[in-house]
Amino acid sequence: MRSLTVLGSCGAWPEAGRACAGFLLEYDGFRVVLDLGYAALPRLLEHRPKGEVDAVVVTHQHPDHCVDVSALARVRYYEAPDAPPIPLHCTPGVLDVLRALEPIPDPATVFEFHDLATTEQLGPFTVETVELPHYKTNFGVRLSAPGVSVAYTGDSGPSPDLRKLAEGTDLFISDATLQGPSPDTTPRYLMTAGEAGRGARGARRLLLTHFWPGSDRSVSVAEAEQEFDGEVIAADEGLTITL
């Protein structure tokens, strides 16, 4: 099976019935979680009841992207105490957040920490990272394996590096927090849906995510379609995309 399942799609906090950032990427039995924000863990457990994943990638330390990694640590600690640590590829600040949330058990006993900036291989995936503009250090990631290439921005403002990240991918997962015209402010740390569409050029499909709570997502799709010629999809909890 080669697929991506949306665990959460909201930015900042989850709307009722939804969750914040989270994706489950599966490739021939290898399972990678990309971010795990507020309320995303229960949706992961629908697919992996004891949190049985092969790796976790966290793009940055904001809680809407990493807080449920702490909950995953509890699941693993109690439900699979003899299992080896799960590789966690993240920015250094993520470990500080997890220890502040729950120091016992130490997250470093449940996870095997790796600096995402230097990660080059993850199971069958070749990994490329690029630092993108955000309030905290944030890495866009591109994971490529034979026949599949997926990229994810985490949270990002507009950047020429987005096109490099998107080029040739089967699926480009992009921050699309805002709607309407681009804000006339600098620096920029979040994108409009239109900017997400421009940044995705070169990808085959665009998955918009990190919607501000209460947004009409059909508006975001329409704005991205004005800038992107491929298929535009709004992330929705439970949606599974075949790769």
Side-chain angles (χ1 to χ4, degrees), residues 5-7 17 24 26 39-52 237-240:
T5 299
V6 178
L7 306 175
L24 176 61
E26 301 188 61
L41 178 69
R43 297 180 183 274
L44 174 63
L45 298 181
E46 292 174 4
H47 303 273
R48 312 303 300 162
K50 294 186 178 182
E52 317 98 302
E237 284 71 7
L239 172 68
T240 295

Side-chain angles (χ1 to χ4, degrees), residues 2-241:
R2 300 177 181 183
S3 64
L4 181 118
T5 299
V6 178
L7 306 175
S9 64
C10 292
W13 71 90
E15 297 179 35
R18 294 191 181 274
C20 282
F23 303 91
L24 176 61
L25 175 61
E26 301 188 61
Y27 183 90
D28 294 353
F30 190 88
R31 299 173 178 89
V32 182
V33 170
L34 305 176
D35 284 347
L36 205 63
Y38 298 120
L41 178 69
R43 297 180 183 274
L44 174 63
L45 298 181
E46 292 174 4
H47 303 273
R48 312 303 300 162
K50 294 186 178 182
E52 317 98 302
V53 297
D54 298 292
V56 177
V57 171
V58 175
T59 57
H60 65 288
Q61 70 188 73
H62 278 153
D64 57 336
H65 289 257
C66 75
V67 75
D68 265 19
V69 176
S70 179
L72 176 59
R74 285 194 164 199
V75 172
R76 300 302 292 164
Y77 182 76
Y78 289 107
E79 293 290 335
D82 298 324
I86 298 172
L88 173 57
H89 298 257
C90 60
T91 56
V94 171
L95 178 57
D96 296 334
V97 171
L98 297 179
R99 281 183 168 146
L101 286 167
E102 179 55 87
I104 303 173
D106 189 317
T109 65
V110 180
F111 300 107
E112 178 184 277
F113 282 83
H114 301 271
D115 187 346
L116 182 56
T118 61
T119 298
E120 296 181 350
Q121 196 71 34
L122 202 55
F125 294 103
T126 299
V127 180
E128 301 169 67
T129 59
V130 58
E131 187 170 354
L132 296 172
H134 195 51
Y135 301 96
K136 297 290 186 179
T137 300
N138 172 78
F139 284 97
V141 294
R142 177 171 173 149
L143 296 94
S144 302
V148 169
S149 186
V150 174
Y152 172 42
T153 67
D155 291 352
S156 175
S159 168
D161 289 329
L162 291 167
R163 298 279 284 274
K164 180 173 66 176
L165 196 66
E167 184 65 37
T169 58
D170 180 52
L171 183 68
F172 187 62
I173 309 165
S174 180
D175 166 46
T177 308
L178 309 175
Q179 295 177 341
S182 301
D184 186 20
T185 58
T186 56
R188 291 283 312 286
Y189 294 132
L190 294 167
M191 279 190 286
T192 67
E195 289 167 337
R198 287 195 291 276
R201 291 172 184 171
R204 190 165 75 86
R205 292 180 287 182
L206 169 60
L207 180 66
L208 302 177
T209 191
H210 204 261
F211 299 102
W212 191 256
S215 297
D216 182 341
R217 299 178 177 205
S218 66
V219 171
S220 298
V221 170
E223 291 180 354
E225 287 176 336
Q226 295 297 312
E227 302 288 345
F228 181 73
D229 290 336
E231 182 182 9
V232 179
I233 307 163
D236 189 35
E237 284 71 7
L239 172 68
T240 295
I241 298 172

